[in-house]
């Protein structure tokens, strides 16, 4: 990879100098997960904890996040306005910011609730937000974002994964992408939750699709058509028996009827 395209803490620091988000950057060559690194670091709202490689990158429900060199792995520390319930909106806001950034490179969409996928349904980014809670208080929300920027190959166990480099045929500048995502988050953060969700809906590939909801508890699955998203980020599903369901990302995973998207 060309040196100028690799993550560089000096370049990131210089670019983010005047911004609230990213005002404090912790950069690591390798961590287990940026969630762990953030736990062991003195973080405040706006802090970014970024790593070139994660040896134990995490997805939802104990899934693994492949974090080899060429990806952009970071946690952004955000202070929520009210409570942990906002976590769904924060994830949506980050997804919107990443979709807006990556669409400058390639046509891409949001797959509810936390994936950015290319036109041909390949996953380019995953987002996982966690609340740090002390007693009754939410201390902060850690928005963890992994973007497949310059990864050259993926394990055969990840047939739905791809990277910007693989899909566009050229390397991308990781510093530009990280800084642009933070700039976009800074814009989205000033929007109301319903404004975020309206913009989210416009680029969400799940809406209007026939999908399968896989419940995390009990192994139940239901098919239906996704008709929209509530201002709190919940998905609205119309099932064949005319009953509209509302589900949140803690309850279900979404699959296409025939494929991943
Ligand atoms: C996610 O989970 O998509 C959330 C990923 C969050 C990663 C960031 S990186 C910075 C921060 N620190 C961390 O440790 N994590 C966060 P989920 O929706 O559960 O998707 C996980 C699934 O995506 C896996 O089970 C694989 O099938 C697939 N997968 C794993 N690595 C991938 C990759 N690099 N690209 C595309 N798909 C991947």
């Amino acid at each position: 990879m060309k040196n100028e395209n690799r993550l560089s803490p000096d370049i990131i620091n210089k670019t983010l100098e005047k911004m609230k988000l990213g005002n404090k950057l912790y950069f690591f060559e390798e961590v287990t997960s940026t969630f762990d690194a953030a736990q062991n670091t003195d973080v405040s709202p706006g802090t970014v904890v970024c790593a070139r490689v994660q040896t134990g990158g995490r997805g939802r429900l104990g899934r693994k996040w492949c974090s080899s060199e060429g990806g952009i792995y970071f946690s952004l520390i955000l202070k929520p306005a009210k409570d942990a319930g906002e976590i769904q909106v924060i994830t949506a806001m980050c997804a919107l910011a990443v979709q807006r950034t990556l669409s400058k490179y390639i046509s891409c969409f949001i797959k509810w609730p936390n994936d950015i996928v290319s036109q041909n349904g390949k996953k380019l980014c995953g987002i996982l937000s966690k609340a740090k809670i002390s007693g009754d208080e939410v201390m902060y929300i850690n928005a963890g974002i992994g973007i497949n920027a310059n990864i050259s190959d993926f394990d055969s166990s990840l047939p739905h994964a791809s990277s910007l480099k693989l899909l566009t045929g050229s390397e991308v500048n990781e510093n530009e992408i990280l800084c642009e995502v933070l700039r976009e988050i800074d814009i989205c953060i000033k929007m109301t939750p319903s404004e975020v969700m309206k913009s989210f809906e416009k680029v969400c590939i799940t809406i209007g699709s026939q999908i399968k909801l896989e419940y995390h508890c009990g192994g139940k699955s239901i098919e239906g058509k996704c008709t929209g998203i509530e201002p709190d980020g919940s998905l609205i599903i119309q099932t064949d028996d005319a009953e509209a369901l509302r589900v949140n990302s803690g309850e279900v995973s979404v699959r296409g009827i025939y494929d991943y998207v």
Side-chain angles (χ1 to χ4, degrees), residues 19-210:
M19 273 185 55
K20 267 203 207 113
L21 300 187
N23 54 15
K24 200 157 140 205
L25 171 75
Y26 293 98
F27 186 87
F28 301 92
E29 288 298 320
E30 183 178 300
V31 291
T32 51
S33 157
T34 57
F35 289 125
D36 301 331
Q39 288 274 12
N40 301 323
T41 313
D42 175 26
V43 294
S44 51
T47 299
V48 171
V49 179
C50 180
R52 206 182 294 289
V53 169
Q54 297 185 117
T55 54
R58 301 202 278 276
R60 298 186 299 153
L61 307 164
R63 296 177 192 139
K64 288 189 181 139
W65 184 254
C66 158
S67 310
S68 51
E69 168 130 28
I72 304 169
Y73 313 107
F74 68 101
S75 280
L76 169 65
I77 307 302
L78 293 167
K79 175 84 180 153
K82 283 184 250 112
D83 57 66
E86 283 188 39
I87 210 159
Q88 205 166 222
V89 177
I90 286 180
T91 300
M93 192 184 78
C94 293
L96 183 60
V98 175
Q99 189 276 336
R100 286 179 169 180
T101 301
L102 300 194
S103 64
K104 291 167 190 155
Y105 300 81
I106 196 171
S107 171
C108 62
F109 306 91
I110 301 172
K111 174 176 172 281
W112 183 91
N114 67 329
D115 295 350
I116 309 302
V117 295
S118 64
Q119 187 104 48
N120 60 349
K122 299 286 183 187
K123 182 159 170 173
L124 295 168
C125 165
I127 299 163
L128 174 62
S129 306
K130 287 171 178 278
K132 166 87 174 167
I133 294 169
S134 173
D136 285 344
E137 205 192 336
V138 179
M139 305 305 287
Y140 58 75
I141 286 183
N142 180 329
I145 303 180
I147 302 173
N148 300 333
N150 288 316
I151 297 181
S152 303
D153 49 29
F154 288 90
D155 193 272
S156 58
S157 63
L158 295 174
H160 303 298
S162 195
S163 70
L164 290 174
K165 180 182 167 186
L166 286 170
L167 291 179
T168 62
S170 35
E171 277 181 12
V172 289
N173 186 308
E174 297 168 4
N175 299 302
E176 269 174 29
I177 293 177
L178 172 59
C179 295
E180 191 57 24
V181 169
L182 291 170
R183 252 184 240 121
E184 290 285 358
I185 293 177
D186 201 33
I187 294 171
C188 295
I189 238 168
K190 293 170 185 133
M191 293 157 69
T192 65
S194 86
E195 283 168 346
V196 170
M197 287 308 161
K198 266 191 207 132
S199 302
F200 183 103
E201 273 190 338
K202 286 188 192 141
V203 291
C204 178
I205 204 165
T206 317
I207 293 174
S209 303
Q210 243 354 85

